Amino acid sequence: MNIKPFAISFSILALSACASQPPVQPAPPPPPPVVEAPVIVEEAPAPVIQEPVVEEIVLPKLPTPGSLEDFIMSSGGDTRVYFDYDQYSLTDSAVASLRAQSSWLKTYTDVNVIIEGNADERGTREYNLALGARRAESVSSFMVGLGVSPTQINVVSYGKERPIDARSNEDGWSLNRNANTKIMSGTVN
Amino acid sequence: MKKYYIFKNSIYHLSIYLFLVLLSSVSAAAQLTIDITKGNIDPTPVAVPDFLSENPELSQLGEDMASVIRNNLKRSGLFVSLNPEGFLETQVNIDYQPNFSSWRVINAQALVSGRIVSESSNKLRVEFRLWDIFAGKQLIGMRFITKNDQWRRAAHKASDEIYKALTGEIGYFDSRIVFIDEKGSKLNRKKSLAIMDQDGYGVKLLTNGSQLILTPRFSPSAQKIVYLSYENITPSVYLLDIETGKRTKLGSYPGMTFAPRFSSDGNKLLLSMIKGGNSDIYSLDLNSGLSTRLTNDSSIDVSGSYSPDGKQIVFNSDRGGNPHLYIMNSDGTNKKRISFGEGRYSSPVWSPRGDKIAFVKSLNGKFSISVINPDGSDERALTESFMDEGPAWSPNGRVIVFSRETRGRYGSNSIWSVDLTGRNLKKVNTPGKASDPAWSPLLP
């Protein structure tokens, strides 16, 4: 919302000193002349008015259908699904997210994705590469099962090489055990 | 008696020739012997005075060469290099017998007396004698001729000869370590392939960090490295000849290949390939290009490593539930589990001596570099930390190098070494953060 600056006029009037004069006073001085002060038009200072909350709510700009933003939104804002320790089976929330991703990918069949399988740091490098591959495959085969064309999907495992959270605790690890659906090509701008 | 080694090392298009000649007679049986199979609680004191030179311009080099040898011996954990300030005798010529009693007084058990002579404008002659102080006799005397700029290698060769004379085992000092150089924070690591001398000198980057590179392994028979590179959409194993710089993508596999290991003759490779999310182990004949599938089931099968005779393979599999170690014949038959302890087992590598398999054991949130006999007996943890992984053997099978990563937000990797006995745990100097070390064979 945009508030237009408004003009303020200031009138300065000189006041006559006429009230409560002492009773005995010889020859009162002539009253000062009444001067019309010039009207000064000033630029208002930047308004410090808090905008009303209701007016701050901006309707989300809908992403262009078929765009990367559209895909992210349809995935619920996160293109990753998360796994339990040393597991590659899909959780309920992963299934829900992948259903949404799959239906989007079935709509936009020109889009190609790569499923990146990731593991947390509590495994050795080569084993984690194998584990990440299983996670990526879980996502890929689920999507294909829902009718996404296999030609749209590539898979790769990064093992523990691509953490998204640096903490060495369960909070960090649970975020790093994921498979990310990354769009490679085919989206509209 | 005369022994010649001639080698040509043209990794950076630089040819080096080094001749090794025995000086005078060599006693067949050394009296001073060090058993390196046991944990050496009392390292043997060795005196290595600065190498002599009549040419004043070479006196600094004489100090530097002796220092390289002292450091090598000390880092082996088998020796203490005595402080030269305590030496009572100052030899002026190495061709005379030392005054043994003045070395016995400071408890030196061996003495290395060396000399450097300028052979030509760009060549040095390095000579040394190794004396057994208590037996009062020379163990070895040798002469090397080397290019000036290769003096460190001459010092490493001398160290290997000293190690061999005193322990009866082949040394590992004239060798290199390939590793992953790491830059950046935990969430933004840049990994490049790098190589250095085993003592951390002469680091060279072999890739520029634009591609993720992991798990290099050295050929046991040639100056060649295999590693995993993410340069294409399907990551795969590459072979790099570090003498010619030639790089080859190995095999034509439909899926990602990783976890490469050479056979001991360098002619074959084991690697894992991912197909349909499942990893299995394949052997690849590097000469014919033929590939053979060795595992075929729905579990993770990874990190295969040949026995030195090439007849067997140890590998990592979770076919029994948790990841454990298994052995099979090199044709894939007769798979059997060899690890039965608690915890999770991974990353096995067979010792070049054949007697041990190094691996990573994970238990109660800690990771250990461990060893086990090929029959599954005598499992021992050599180290323990938040993350110790990626063991690789020294060419003589006595030392293991590995990666250690520290915990937390600022966690970073460094390279460490530990003796087969579990003693002598040491950080290996690298210019920055580093991981995935692998040892070269002894240089020719």
Side-chain angles (χ1 to χ4, degrees):
Chain A
M1 194 186 79
N2 196 12
I3 299 176
K4 287 178 182 165
F6 52 91
I8 307 165
S9 307
F10 291 94
S11 294
I12 302 168
L13 299 171
L15 299 173
S16 55
C18 59
S20 54
Q21 298 277 0
V24 183
Q25 186 152 18
V34 177
V35 178
E36 184 92 17
V39 175
I40 302 166
V41 179
E42 288 187 343
E43 189 85 3
V48 287
I49 300 161
Q50 192 73 38
E51 293 178 29
V53 170
V54 284
E55 302 210 26
E56 280 215 348
I57 294 172
V58 178
L59 277 178
K61 194 182 133 207
L62 284 172
T64 311
S67 67
L68 174 62
E69 296 71 27
D70 187 33
F71 176 68
I72 294 171
M73 197 179 79
S74 74
S75 309
D78 188 356
T79 56
R80 291 171 199 264
V81 296
Y82 301 90
F83 296 85
D84 293 332
Y85 175 66
D86 202 26
Q87 297 299 308
Y88 57 97
S89 53
L90 299 172
T91 63
D92 291 348
S93 68
V95 165
S97 174
L98 294 177
R99 282 188 189 284
Q101 289 186 11
S102 300
S103 107
W104 193 92
L105 289 169
K106 280 156 66 182
T107 305
Y108 300 103
T109 51
D110 287 344
V111 170
N112 287 305
V113 296
I114 186 162
I115 314 292
E116 303 171 331
N118 294 295
D120 70 31
E121 64 187 356
R122 286 175 303 161
T124 53
R125 207 173 312 286
E126 290 174 347
Y127 183 81
N128 275 350
L129 287 171
L131 181 58
R134 281 183 158 182
R135 288 176 176 160
E137 180 64 20
S138 288
V139 168
S140 167
S141 58
F142 183 79
M143 286 178 162
V144 170
L146 290 180
V148 179
S149 166
T151 58
Q152 283 179 272
I153 305 175
N154 293 284
V155 288
V156 70
S157 174
Y158 281 104
K160 60 176 175 178
E161 304 303 317
R162 291 284 183 263
I164 57 172
D165 191 301
R167 290 171 294 175
S168 292
N169 57 29
E170 188 46 44
D171 290 346
W173 295 327
S174 62
L175 291 172
N176 292 333
R177 295 190 295 264
N178 64 67
N180 184 28
T181 307
K182 185 173 162 185
I183 290 195
M184 297 172 71
S185 63
T187 51
V188 298
N189 288 322
Chain B
M1 87 194 259
K2 232 177 188 181
K3 205 158 89 180
Y4 271 99
Y5 296 111
I6 301 176
F7 73 90
K8 184 173 180 183
N9 175 350
S10 57
I11 169 172
Y12 304 114
H13 309 290
L14 173 71
S15 294
I16 313 146
Y17 298 91
L18 185 146
F19 300 90
L20 190 154
V21 181
L22 298 189
L23 292 180
S24 72
S25 67
V26 174
S27 57
Q31 214 151 314
L32 174 57
T33 52
I34 292 148
D35 184 355
I36 63 176
T37 61
K38 305 276 183 288
N40 228 62
I41 302 170
D42 294 317
T44 304
V46 178
V48 187
D50 294 340
F51 279 24
L52 303 173
S53 177
E54 288 176 6
N55 180 348
E57 287 172 17
L58 294 178
S59 70
Q60 181 61 46
L61 193 56
E63 290 175 31
D64 293 344
M65 285 196 76
S67 165
V68 168
I69 295 169
R70 282 194 287 264
N71 285 335
N72 279 339
L73 296 178
K74 189 174 92 188
R75 273 183 302 104
S76 78
L78 301 174
F79 306 97
V80 201
S81 294
L82 295 171
N83 185 346
E85 287 175 19
F87 295 168
L88 301 177
E89 183 185 26
T90 305
Q91 287 181 290
V92 292
N93 189 329
I94 68 162
D95 295 332
Y96 291 94
Q97 195 166 280
N99 179 358
F100 293 113
S101 62
S102 67
W103 295 100
R104 281 186 202 116
V105 168
I106 62 165
N107 199 32
Q109 296 196 29
L111 167 68
V112 179
S113 305
R115 169 169 65 202
I116 308 175
V117 180
S118 192
E119 182 82 357
S120 68
S121 64
N122 66 344
K123 278 187 184 160
L124 298 170
R125 190 169 83 234
V126 179
E127 299 167 332
F128 76 94
R129 296 176 190 277
L130 173 67
W131 298 93
D132 181 337
I133 296 300
F134 283 84
K137 64 177 188 186
Q138 176 177 309
L139 296 175
I140 50 171
M142 286 187 169
R143 173 183 299 160
F144 303 88
I145 292 175
T146 180
K147 284 194 170 177
N148 290 3
D149 59 0
Q150 294 296 314
W151 65 269
R152 294 192 71 91
R153 287 208 49 205
H156 290 315
K157 281 255 180 263
S159 305
D160 281 327
E161 296 300 336
I162 294 162
Y163 182 95
K164 189 174 158 193
L166 295 179
T167 68
E169 299 276 342
I170 302 292
Y172 54 85
F173 301 115
D174 190 26
S175 63
R176 294 188 284 186
I177 290 175
V178 62
F179 64 101
I180 298 298
D181 173 80
E182 300 193 355
K183 293 188 170 67
S185 67
K186 192 168 174 180
L187 297 184
N188 187 27
R189 281 181 178 147
K190 295 262 182 297
K191 296 193 169 192
S192 317
L193 188 62
I195 191 168
M196 64 185 179
D197 295 349
Q198 55 77 31
D199 61 353
Y201 282 80
V203 175
K204 296 265 192 308
L205 291 182
L206 300 174
T207 64
N208 62 11
S210 61
Q211 318 290 349
L212 176 61
I213 307 278
L214 298 172
T215 61
R217 293 280 170 178
F218 233 113
S219 164
S221 60
Q223 294 301 306
K224 291 178 182 173
I225 295 166
V226 285
Y227 57 92
L228 168 59
S229 171
Y230 279 69
E231 60 200 78
N232 292 311
I233 187 166
T234 302
S236 46
V237 170
Y238 283 76
L239 175 77
L240 173 67
D241 183 323
I242 52 179
E243 296 197 340
T244 63
K246 192 182 170 216
R247 233 168 49 92
T248 322
K249 184 181 163 186
L250 290 178
S252 47
Y253 293 96
M256 169 173 170
T257 52
F258 66 111
R261 311 261 195 286
F262 280 99
S263 62
S264 63
D265 60 9
N267 291 330
K268 282 191 289 184
L269 205 65
L270 289 172
L271 48 75
S272 297
M273 199 266 285
I274 295 171
K275 185 89 199 307
N278 183 46
S279 53
D280 277 304
I281 297 171
Y282 292 72
S283 67
L284 175 64
D285 186 310
L286 291 172
N287 299 318
S288 69
L290 287 177
S291 180
T292 311
R293 184 171 183 166
L294 301 175
T295 64
N296 192 349
D297 67 15
S298 59
S299 58
I300 287 178
D301 293 309
V302 71
S303 306
S305 172
Y306 279 110
S307 61
D309 63 9
K311 290 180 177 162
Q312 288 181 296
I313 292 167
V314 63
F315 65 104
N316 188 205
S317 177
D318 69 351
R319 60 187 62 206
N322 276 337
H324 271 278
L325 306 183
Y326 291 76
I327 282 182
M328 61 182 165
N329 293 339
S330 57
D331 62 359
T333 59
N334 197 21
K335 297 181 178 75
K336 58 174 195 250
R337 182 169 155 183
I338 63 160
S339 68
F340 292 93
E342 262 189 283
R344 303 158 63 80
Y345 294 67
S346 60
S347 293
V349 266
W350 214 306
S351 156
R353 302 169 63 89
D355 56 343
K356 296 283 175 191
I357 291 162
F359 64 97
V360 178
K361 171 79 165 274
S362 142
L363 185 63
N364 302 326
K366 299 276 191 185
F367 287 76
S368 298
I369 302 299
S370 300
V371 289
I372 192 169
N373 291 344
D375 66 0
S377 65
D378 198 21
E379 179 186 329
R380 283 182 293 129
L382 307 180
T383 71
E384 186 186 87
S385 87
F386 171 70
M387 173 51 74
D388 286 350
E389 66 166 323
W393 292 94
S394 64
N396 70 353
R398 290 300 177 193
V399 183
I400 294 168
V401 280
F402 62 97
S403 302
R404 172 167 284 185
E405 185 172 19
T406 52
R407 185 180 181 122
R409 205 174 279 278
Y410 304 105
S412 65
N413 278 303
S414 51
I415 297 178
W416 292 69
S417 71
V418 67
D419 284 6
L420 179 55
T421 57
R423 296 188 192 280
N424 199 30
L425 175 68
K426 281 189 162 58
K427 188 171 180 294
V428 177
N429 280 333
T430 50
K433 291 171 273 189
S435 60
D436 292 0
W439 222 307
S440 81
L442 272 182
L443 290 167

